[in-house]
Short mmCIF file of all heavy atoms in Angstrom, two decimals:
data_model
loop_
_atom_site.label_atom_id
_atom_site.label_comp_id
_atom_site.label_asym_id
_atom_site.label_seq_id
_atom_site.Cartn_x
_atom_site.Cartn_y
_atom_site.Cartn_z
N TYR H 1 -1.57 1.07 4.99
CA TYR H 1 -3.00 1.34 5.06
C TYR H 1 -3.22 2.78 5.48
O TYR H 1 -2.36 3.40 6.09
CB TYR H 1 -3.68 0.41 6.07
CG TYR H 1 -3.64 -1.06 5.69
CD1 TYR H 1 -2.47 -1.79 5.79
CD2 TYR H 1 -4.79 -1.69 5.23
CE1 TYR H 1 -2.43 -3.13 5.45
CE2 TYR H 1 -4.76 -3.04 4.89
CZ TYR H 1 -3.58 -3.74 5.00
OH TYR H 1 -3.55 -5.07 4.66
N ARG H 2 -4.37 3.31 5.14
CA ARG H 2 -4.73 4.65 5.54
C ARG H 2 -6.03 4.64 6.33
O ARG H 2 -6.90 3.80 6.11
CB ARG H 2 -4.89 5.58 4.32
CG ARG H 2 -6.10 5.23 3.46
CD ARG H 2 -6.23 6.16 2.24
NE ARG H 2 -6.38 7.56 2.58
CZ ARG H 2 -7.54 8.13 2.89
NH1 ARG H 2 -8.66 7.42 2.93
NH2 ARG H 2 -7.57 9.43 3.18
N GLN H 3 -6.14 5.57 7.24
CA GLN H 3 -7.37 5.76 8.00
C GLN H 3 -7.66 7.25 8.05
O GLN H 3 -6.99 7.99 8.76
CB GLN H 3 -7.26 5.17 9.41
CG GLN H 3 -8.55 5.20 10.18
CD GLN H 3 -8.49 4.34 11.43
OE1 GLN H 3 -7.75 3.37 11.50
NE2 GLN H 3 -9.28 4.71 12.43
N GLY H 4 -8.65 7.66 7.27
CA GLY H 4 -9.01 9.06 7.18
C GLY H 4 -10.14 9.41 8.13
O GLY H 4 -10.47 8.65 9.04
N PRO H 5 -10.74 10.58 7.92
CA PRO H 5 -11.83 11.04 8.79
C PRO H 5 -13.00 10.07 8.84
O PRO H 5 -13.73 10.05 9.85
CB PRO H 5 -12.24 12.37 8.16
CG PRO H 5 -11.02 12.84 7.43
CD PRO H 5 -10.39 11.59 6.89
N GLU H 6 -13.19 9.29 7.78
CA GLU H 6 -14.29 8.32 7.77
C GLU H 6 -14.02 7.15 8.68
O GLU H 6 -14.90 6.32 8.90
CB GLU H 6 -14.54 7.85 6.33
CG GLU H 6 -13.47 6.93 5.76
CD GLU H 6 -12.22 7.66 5.30
OE1 GLU H 6 -12.18 8.90 5.42
OE2 GLU H 6 -11.28 7.00 4.83
N LYS H 7 -12.79 7.04 9.18
CA LYS H 7 -12.35 6.04 10.16
C LYS H 7 -12.30 4.63 9.62
O LYS H 7 -12.15 3.69 10.41
CB LYS H 7 -13.23 6.12 11.41
CG LYS H 7 -13.19 7.46 12.11
CD LYS H 7 -14.02 7.46 13.37
CE LYS H 7 -13.97 8.80 14.06
NZ LYS H 7 -14.78 8.83 15.30
N GLN H 8 -12.41 4.45 8.33
CA GLN H 8 -12.29 3.13 7.72
C GLN H 8 -10.84 2.93 7.28
O GLN H 8 -10.31 3.71 6.49
CB GLN H 8 -13.23 3.00 6.52
CG GLN H 8 -13.13 1.67 5.79
CD GLN H 8 -13.64 0.52 6.61
OE1 GLN H 8 -14.60 0.66 7.36
NE2 GLN H 8 -13.01 -0.64 6.48
N ARG H 9 -10.20 1.89 7.78
CA ARG H 9 -8.83 1.60 7.42
C ARG H 9 -8.80 0.85 6.09
O ARG H 9 -9.39 -0.23 5.97
CB ARG H 9 -8.13 0.79 8.52
CG ARG H 9 -6.62 0.71 8.34
CD ARG H 9 -5.94 0.13 9.57
NE ARG H 9 -6.10 0.99 10.74
CZ ARG H 9 -5.51 0.78 11.92
NH1 ARG H 9 -4.72 -0.27 12.08
NH2 ARG H 9 -5.72 1.61 12.93
N GLU H 10 -8.12 1.42 5.11
CA GLU H 10 -8.10 0.89 3.76
C GLU H 10 -6.67 0.64 3.30
O GLU H 10 -5.76 1.40 3.63
CB GLU H 10 -8.79 1.85 2.79
CG GLU H 10 -10.23 2.17 3.14
CD GLU H 10 -10.81 3.26 2.27
OE1 GLU H 10 -10.04 4.13 1.81
OE2 GLU H 10 -12.03 3.22 2.03
N VAL H 11 -6.49 -0.39 2.51
CA VAL H 11 -5.17 -0.70 1.99
C VAL H 11 -4.75 0.33 0.95
O VAL H 11 -5.56 0.78 0.14
CB VAL H 11 -5.12 -2.13 1.40
CG1 VAL H 11 -6.04 -2.25 0.19
CG2 VAL H 11 -3.70 -2.52 1.06
N VAL H 12 -3.49 0.72 1.01
CA VAL H 12 -2.91 1.66 0.06
C VAL H 12 -1.99 0.92 -0.91
O VAL H 12 -2.09 1.08 -2.12
CB VAL H 12 -2.13 2.77 0.78
CG1 VAL H 12 -1.40 3.66 -0.23
CG2 VAL H 12 -3.06 3.60 1.65
N ALA H 13 -1.09 0.12 -0.36
CA ALA H 13 -0.14 -0.63 -1.16
C ALA H 13 0.41 -1.77 -0.32
O ALA H 13 0.40 -1.71 0.91
CB ALA H 13 1.00 0.26 -1.65
N SER H 14 0.88 -2.80 -0.98
CA SER H 14 1.49 -3.92 -0.28
C SER H 14 2.64 -4.48 -1.09
O SER H 14 2.71 -4.30 -2.31
CB SER H 14 0.46 -5.02 0.01
OG SER H 14 -0.05 -5.58 -1.20
N ILE H 15 3.53 -5.18 -0.40
CA ILE H 15 4.68 -5.78 -1.06
C ILE H 15 4.95 -7.14 -0.42
O ILE H 15 4.94 -7.28 0.80
CB ILE H 15 5.92 -4.86 -1.00
CG1 ILE H 15 7.07 -5.44 -1.82
CG2 ILE H 15 6.33 -4.59 0.45
CD1 ILE H 15 8.18 -4.43 -2.07
N THR H 16 5.16 -8.15 -1.25
CA THR H 16 5.38 -9.50 -0.76
C THR H 16 6.85 -9.74 -0.48
O THR H 16 7.71 -8.91 -0.76
CB THR H 16 4.88 -10.54 -1.78
OG1 THR H 16 5.76 -10.53 -2.93
CG2 THR H 16 3.46 -10.24 -2.23
N ARG H 17 7.15 -10.92 0.05
CA ARG H 17 8.53 -11.30 0.32
C ARG H 17 9.35 -11.38 -0.96
O ARG H 17 10.57 -11.24 -0.93
CB ARG H 17 8.59 -12.64 1.06
CG ARG H 17 7.89 -13.77 0.31
CD ARG H 17 7.99 -15.08 1.08
NE ARG H 17 9.38 -15.57 1.12
CZ ARG H 17 9.76 -16.69 1.73
NH1 ARG H 17 8.85 -17.44 2.37
NH2 ARG H 17 11.02 -17.05 1.73
N ASN H 18 8.68 -11.60 -2.09
CA ASN H 18 9.35 -11.65 -3.38
C ASN H 18 9.31 -10.32 -4.12
O ASN H 18 9.62 -10.25 -5.30
CB ASN H 18 8.72 -12.73 -4.25
CG ASN H 18 8.89 -14.12 -3.68
OD1 ASN H 18 9.97 -14.47 -3.22
ND2 ASN H 18 7.83 -14.91 -3.70
N SER H 19 8.91 -9.26 -3.40
CA SER H 19 8.87 -7.90 -3.92
C SER H 19 7.80 -7.69 -4.99
O SER H 19 7.91 -6.75 -5.79
CB SER H 19 10.24 -7.47 -4.45
OG SER H 19 11.19 -7.42 -3.40
N ASN H 20 6.79 -8.53 -5.01
CA ASN H 20 5.62 -8.25 -5.84
C ASN H 20 4.79 -7.17 -5.16
O ASN H 20 4.58 -7.21 -3.95
CB ASN H 20 4.78 -9.51 -6.04
CG ASN H 20 5.52 -10.56 -6.84
OD1 ASN H 20 6.18 -10.26 -7.82
ND2 ASN H 20 5.38 -11.82 -6.42
N THR H 21 4.30 -6.23 -5.93
CA THR H 21 3.60 -5.08 -5.37
C THR H 21 2.17 -4.99 -5.86
O THR H 21 1.84 -5.43 -6.96
CB THR H 21 4.32 -3.77 -5.69
OG1 THR H 21 4.41 -3.62 -7.12
CG2 THR H 21 5.73 -3.78 -5.11
N ASN H 22 1.33 -4.40 -5.03
CA ASN H 22 -0.06 -4.12 -5.37
C ASN H 22 -0.41 -2.73 -4.84
O ASN H 22 0.07 -2.32 -3.78
CB ASN H 22 -1.00 -5.16 -4.78
CG ASN H 22 -0.86 -6.51 -5.43
OD1 ASN H 22 -1.33 -6.72 -6.54
ND2 ASN H 22 -0.22 -7.44 -4.74
N TYR H 23 -1.26 -2.03 -5.58
CA TYR H 23 -1.65 -0.68 -5.21
C TYR H 23 -3.15 -0.50 -5.32
O TYR H 23 -3.80 -1.10 -6.19
CB TYR H 23 -0.97 0.36 -6.11
CG TYR H 23 0.53 0.35 -6.05
CD1 TYR H 23 1.28 -0.43 -6.93
CD2 TYR H 23 1.21 1.14 -5.13
CE1 TYR H 23 2.66 -0.43 -6.88
CE2 TYR H 23 2.59 1.15 -5.07
CZ TYR H 23 3.31 0.35 -5.95
OH TYR H 23 4.68 0.36 -5.90
N ALA H 24 -3.69 0.33 -4.46
CA ALA H 24 -5.06 0.77 -4.65
C ALA H 24 -5.13 1.59 -5.93
O ALA H 24 -4.18 2.30 -6.28
CB ALA H 24 -5.52 1.60 -3.46
N ASP H 25 -6.25 1.50 -6.64
CA ASP H 25 -6.37 2.15 -7.94
C ASP H 25 -6.09 3.65 -7.86
O ASP H 25 -5.48 4.22 -8.76
CB ASP H 25 -7.75 1.91 -8.53
CG ASP H 25 -7.94 0.48 -9.00
OD1 ASP H 25 -6.93 -0.22 -9.22
OD2 ASP H 25 -9.10 0.05 -9.16
N SER H 26 -6.54 4.29 -6.81
CA SER H 26 -6.36 5.73 -6.68
C SER H 26 -4.92 6.14 -6.44
O SER H 26 -4.58 7.31 -6.58
CB SER H 26 -7.25 6.27 -5.56
OG SER H 26 -6.90 5.70 -4.31
N MET H 27 -4.06 5.19 -6.08
CA MET H 27 -2.67 5.47 -5.78
C MET H 27 -1.72 5.13 -6.93
O MET H 27 -0.56 5.56 -6.91
CB MET H 27 -2.21 4.71 -4.54
CG MET H 27 -3.19 4.73 -3.39
SD MET H 27 -3.56 6.40 -2.82
CE MET H 27 -4.78 6.02 -1.54
N LYS H 28 -2.18 4.37 -7.89
CA LYS H 28 -1.32 3.93 -8.98
C LYS H 28 -0.77 5.12 -9.74
O LYS H 28 -1.48 6.06 -10.07
CB LYS H 28 -2.10 3.02 -9.93
CG LYS H 28 -2.44 1.67 -9.35
CD LYS H 28 -3.18 0.80 -10.35
CE LYS H 28 -3.51 -0.56 -9.78
NZ LYS H 28 -4.28 -1.40 -10.74
N GLY H 29 0.53 5.06 -10.01
CA GLY H 29 1.20 6.12 -10.74
C GLY H 29 1.70 7.24 -9.86
O GLY H 29 2.50 8.07 -10.33
N ARG H 30 1.27 7.31 -8.62
CA ARG H 30 1.71 8.36 -7.70
C ARG H 30 2.48 7.81 -6.51
O ARG H 30 3.41 8.45 -6.03
CB ARG H 30 0.52 9.16 -7.20
CG ARG H 30 -0.24 9.90 -8.30
CD ARG H 30 -1.27 10.86 -7.72
NE ARG H 30 -2.30 10.17 -6.95
CZ ARG H 30 -2.53 10.36 -5.65
NH1 ARG H 30 -1.80 11.22 -4.97
NH2 ARG H 30 -3.50 9.70 -5.04
N PHE H 31 2.10 6.63 -6.03
CA PHE H 31 2.75 6.03 -4.87
C PHE H 31 3.58 4.84 -5.30
O PHE H 31 3.22 4.11 -6.22
CB PHE H 31 1.71 5.56 -3.85
CG PHE H 31 0.97 6.67 -3.15
CD1 PHE H 31 1.10 7.99 -3.54
CD2 PHE H 31 0.12 6.38 -2.09
CE1 PHE H 31 0.42 9.01 -2.89
CE2 PHE H 31 -0.57 7.38 -1.43
CZ PHE H 31 -0.42 8.69 -1.83
N THR H 32 4.70 4.62 -4.59
CA THR H 32 5.57 3.50 -4.87
C THR H 32 5.99 2.84 -3.55
O THR H 32 6.50 3.52 -2.66
CB THR H 32 6.82 3.92 -5.64
OG1 THR H 32 6.45 4.55 -6.87
CG2 THR H 32 7.68 2.70 -5.96
N ILE H 33 5.78 1.54 -3.44
CA ILE H 33 6.19 0.80 -2.26
C ILE H 33 7.45 0.00 -2.59
O ILE H 33 7.58 -0.55 -3.69
CB ILE H 33 5.06 -0.12 -1.74
CG1 ILE H 33 5.44 -0.72 -0.38
CG2 ILE H 33 4.72 -1.20 -2.74
CD1 ILE H 33 4.27 -1.44 0.30
N SER H 34 8.37 -0.07 -1.65
CA SER H 34 9.61 -0.82 -1.84
C SER H 34 10.08 -1.34 -0.50
O SER H 34 9.60 -0.92 0.55
CB SER H 34 10.68 0.06 -2.49
OG SER H 34 11.00 1.16 -1.67
N ARG H 35 11.04 -2.27 -0.53
CA ARG H 35 11.55 -2.81 0.72
C ARG H 35 13.06 -2.96 0.67
O ARG H 35 13.66 -3.20 -0.37
CB ARG H 35 10.89 -4.17 1.05
CG ARG H 35 11.23 -5.30 0.09
CD ARG H 35 10.35 -6.53 0.39
NE ARG H 35 10.57 -7.05 1.73
CZ ARG H 35 9.69 -7.79 2.42
NH1 ARG H 35 8.50 -8.06 1.88
NH2 ARG H 35 10.00 -8.24 3.63
N ASP H 36 13.67 -2.82 1.84
CA ASP H 36 15.09 -3.01 2.03
C ASP H 36 15.24 -4.01 3.17
O ASP H 36 15.13 -3.66 4.34
CB ASP H 36 15.78 -1.69 2.36
CG ASP H 36 17.29 -1.81 2.44
OD1 ASP H 36 17.80 -2.91 2.70
OD2 ASP H 36 17.98 -0.80 2.24
N ASN H 37 15.47 -5.27 2.82
CA ASN H 37 15.51 -6.32 3.83
C ASN H 37 16.68 -6.16 4.80
O ASN H 37 16.57 -6.53 5.97
CB ASN H 37 15.59 -7.69 3.15
CG ASN H 37 14.30 -8.07 2.46
OD1 ASN H 37 13.23 -7.54 2.77
ND2 ASN H 37 14.38 -8.99 1.51
N ALA H 38 17.79 -5.62 4.33
CA ALA H 38 18.94 -5.41 5.20
C ALA H 38 18.62 -4.43 6.32
O ALA H 38 19.13 -4.56 7.44
CB ALA H 38 20.14 -4.93 4.40
#
């Protein structure tokens, strides 16, 4: 999540236990979320 000067905390990206990912529209194509369970 991000919290900018407007002080509103907004989701940027998320990843599930099965590695399914979701992105905010403004971040698609530029940001990548991943996980390393180990």
Side-chain angles (χ1 to χ4, degrees):
Y1 295 74
R2 69 180 300 276
Q3 187 167 332
E6 72 282 0
K7 300 183 180 180
Q8 178 69 36
R9 192 169 296 186
E10 302 173 330
V11 64
V12 174
S14 64
I15 186 166
T16 71
R17 57 179 293 180
N18 296 316
S19 295
N20 294 318
T21 59
N22 291 285
Y23 299 91
D25 288 341
S26 62
M27 316 301 178
K28 290 181 179 178
R30 298 190 297 118
F31 291 8
T32 302
I33 189 170
S34 62
R35 66 189 298 157
D36 185 336
N37 289 339

